[in-house]
Amino acid sequence: MAEWVCRALRDGALEGEHAPALTIKDSIATPLGFDAFCHVLSQLSTNIAAEKSQSRALVLVAFSRSPSYYVDLLKRRGLDISSSQQWIRILDCYTDPLGWRERLMECGSAKNLSHEASNLASTCRNVKDADKLFSSVISLGKGLVGQGKVRFSVAIDSVNEMLRHASLSSVAGLLSNLRCCDHISSIFWFLHADLCEEKVTAVIEYMSSMVASIEPLIPFANRQRGNSENLSLVERNFTKGKFHVRCKRRNGRVRVMFEEIHIGQSGIDFTSPSFEDGLVNQVNQGLLPKVQFNLQLSEKERNDRAKVVLPFEHQGNGKPVEIYDGRKSLMDSKYEAAPVSTGNSKINDESSKGEIIYFRDSDDEMPDSDEDPDDDLDI
């Protein structure tokens, strides 16, 4: 499923349509969203570097990590940093978001970035200005792909940091403008859902064509988390979770997919759940409509149901049950004369089975024949 999301971003936008947009969100219960963001970033970077993507470049807007962190991340994923200047640029909104660091550098109290990061990064010193952010992203992207019809992708590592410095309307307008831009192939961003109001999360998700939410495998209420017996289960949610993807199709339908995510020493891993686990999760975790009655039976209810005598089972009173076959009543069959023996009881028994006897209602009724009763009519 995660690979399906990466392919959707790799394939990009169709002519005349908006770029596909992905929201990756998590919560404190399962803080694995940034790992999923880094996985998508690495997969898309690999496709762009290998020229297997619609986009030919990537602009990374870094709010929560320094450019050096992402340079090291790409190195660990086996990408050639020396050639990355041709397809990636980092808009550094982390180092000096409000222009204070520039003043410290003038006094000699701040250090510069590493050489590799400085070659890829461009510092933004006023993140409050959404229009300037948009212009910077477009300028960096066009600097990589040129002025033609070649497109580039955009990644934003933290919408929460954007909301710290700008209003919701400014951030929503920036994301909408980026998605509507003809030069952008795809865009994705990361959001801590529990740090925002519900209406903020709803606005961000509304502008997305795909929403990937990281949910705990074992949900707990706030009153249950302090229980010492549940601490080990709660700790599992920090390394394992459910990767839910909701995709809006072009025909208006919504596709929902589910996968398990696991963070280990070797990195991130996505696995498909077994059929039984998936069915139990669907019933227990609310994928089925919420109703006011229980959909499952208890052991006592099963036993009571087994003891119920159905209407066709109480006629015999211990004797063999005769079921009405629709041809004659049970009372008439008791007085029916026994068939005359012909000396061959086996043949007689076989001939009496399945026999249909027809009595005419009156002598005026014409017997069945091949003659047309209206033959004498002159029409």
Side-chain angles (χ1 to χ4, degrees), residues 13-20 151 179-182 184 250:
L14 296 177
E15 189 67 27
E17 293 188 359
H18 292 169
R151 302 186 180 217
R179 190 185 177 194
C180 297
C181 182
D182 295 335
I184 293 180
R250 294 183 178 90

Side-chain angles (χ1 to χ4, degrees), residues 19 31 34 70 125 139 146 348:
F34 187 74
Y70 292 106
R125 293 184 172 86
S139 177
N348 186 50

Side-chain angles (χ1 to χ4, degrees), residues 4-5 8 21 208-212 244-257:
W4 182 89
V5 172
S208 309
S209 58
M210 297 176 289
V211 177
H244 275 286
V245 176
R246 188 175 71 252
C247 174
K248 303 174 188 176
R249 296 185 174 181
R250 294 183 178 90
N251 57 7
R253 296 184 179 179
V254 178
R255 179 181 181 184
V256 179
M257 297 172 287

Side-chain angles (χ1 to χ4, degrees), residues 18 64 74-75 81 86 94 98 141 196 240 289 300 314:
H18 292 169
S64 62
L74 297 179
K75 280 184 177 180
I81 300 300
Q86 302 175 3
Y94 171 84
L98 300 177
C196 306
K240 293 183 179 181
K300 181 179 181 303
H314 70 277

Side-chain angles (χ1 to χ4, degrees), residues 297-307:
L297 298 178
S298 63
E299 189 65 28
K300 181 179 181 303
E301 291 172 337
R302 293 192 187 94
N303 295 334
D304 293 341
R305 183 180 66 177
K307 295 177 182 178

Side-chain angles (χ1 to χ4, degrees), residues 56-70:
R56 288 294 180 261
L58 173 66
V59 176
L60 172 60
V61 185
F63 277 94
S64 62
R65 301 291 193 280
S66 67
S68 301
Y69 174 87
Y70 292 106

Side-chain angles (χ1 to χ4, degrees), residues 175-188:
L175 298 178
S176 178
N177 292 336
L178 289 173
R179 190 185 177 194
C180 297
C181 182
D182 295 335
H183 297 280
I184 293 180
S185 171
S186 60
I187 179 173
F188 62 101

Side-chain angles (χ1 to χ4, degrees), residues 59 61 63 91 93 124 126-142 152 154 156 162 170-184 187:
V59 176
V61 185
F63 277 94
L91 182 59
C93 301
C124 177
N126 187 11
V127 296
K128 295 182 179 181
D129 191 348
D131 294 334
K132 187 175 181 180
L133 275 176
F134 176 78
S135 301
S136 300
V137 171
I138 299 301
S139 177
L140 290 176
K142 288 184 178 180
F152 61 92
V154 178
I156 304 174
M162 298 175 64
S170 299
V171 174
L174 172 62
L175 298 178
S176 178
N177 292 336
L178 289 173
R179 190 185 177 194
C180 297
C181 182
D182 295 335
H183 297 280
I184 293 180
I187 179 173

